[in-house]
Amino acid sequence: MTLAAPTHERGITTLTLDSPANRNALSARLVGELSAALAGCGDDDSVRAVVLTHTGNTFCAGADLTAPADPAAFVALMRQIVALPKPVVARVTGHVRAGGLGLLGACDISAAGPAATFALTESRLGLAPAVISLPLLPRTDPRAAARYYLTGERFDAAEAARISLITLAADDVDDALAPVLDGLRRASPQGLRASKELVTASVLETFEQHAEDLIARSAALFASAEAREGMTAFLERRDPAWVW
């Protein structure tokens, strides 16, 4: 399993990414298991909201380069989070890279602690943050997105909050999320569903308009010679050929 057994407390179900061997990378298996778990939460009247968190020091390392999920399946997962009739809250205490930022960006509310770091590393691999743009670009500061899409620089939780990649940065994530979860417990199921529809409408519209094109772009990039060199260099822990 790549997910720990779900836990449930007072209307909040916690789903925990638990694949330390590959730093919770987005394998086909992880995407499938997470999608199934989210579908179960969506159908369960006892679930008021979902918390998505992780074991280890990495929330999600991005695509699993040895057993990657199909881009269309990952897009479907991100859309599922956005469209789920229950709020999804990300609890991050570790690193987030590449496609992991798409998973994070699809969540409705997110909090990260001081050990969290973030980077859109695709350009360094001969790729681009194509499909993860679907939830990221509607929600993230455009000037910051341009910088971090192009450079692949690493940044911290405070910067992630400043650019609206996450909702808040905190020294203690659980303390910071306590009033958030209390608020979700106090809201009615209908109120949450209707309110979420309002704040996700523009993101879902982006999925409808651009998903097909970005899936095709992602597949073409992954199949390219430059990407093969970039991914091989990453796995071999060396610089790719184009680094000056």
Side-chain angles (χ1 to χ4, degrees), residues 133-146:
S133 292
L134 293 164
L136 286 183
L137 290 184
R139 290 174 161 167
T140 305
D141 176 80
R143 299 300 289 177

Side-chain angles (χ1 to χ4, degrees), residues 11-102:
I12 307 296
T13 292
T14 298
L15 303 178
T16 303
L17 306 181
D18 186 24
S19 182
N22 66 356
R23 300 189 302 150
N24 296 322
L26 293 162
S27 64
R29 182 176 180 181
L30 175 61
V31 168
E33 289 182 5
L34 183 53
S35 178
L38 288 165
C41 291
D43 293 336
D44 188 344
D45 291 340
S46 72
V47 178
R48 187 64 51 82
V50 177
V51 170
L52 181 62
T53 189
H54 60 101
T55 60
N57 65 3
T58 301
F59 174 78
C60 179
D64 185 338
L65 299 183
T66 61
D70 182 83
F74 181 47
V75 167
L77 174 63
M78 292 188 292
R79 189 187 188 286
Q80 181 182 13
I81 294 171
V82 176
L84 199 76
K86 318 285 178 71
V88 181
V89 179
R91 175 189 176 276
V92 180
T93 60
H95 309 302
V96 192
R97 296 290 183 269
L101 275 74

Side-chain angles (χ1 to χ4, degrees), residues 19 43 55 61 68 105 109 119 124-125 130-131 147 168 173 182 200 235-236 243:
S19 182
D43 293 336
T55 60
I109 299 168
R124 298 187 180 193
L125 298 176
V131 296
R147 173 179 176 175
L168 56 95
V173 175
D182 181 63
T200 59
L235 293 172
E236 294 178 351
V243 173

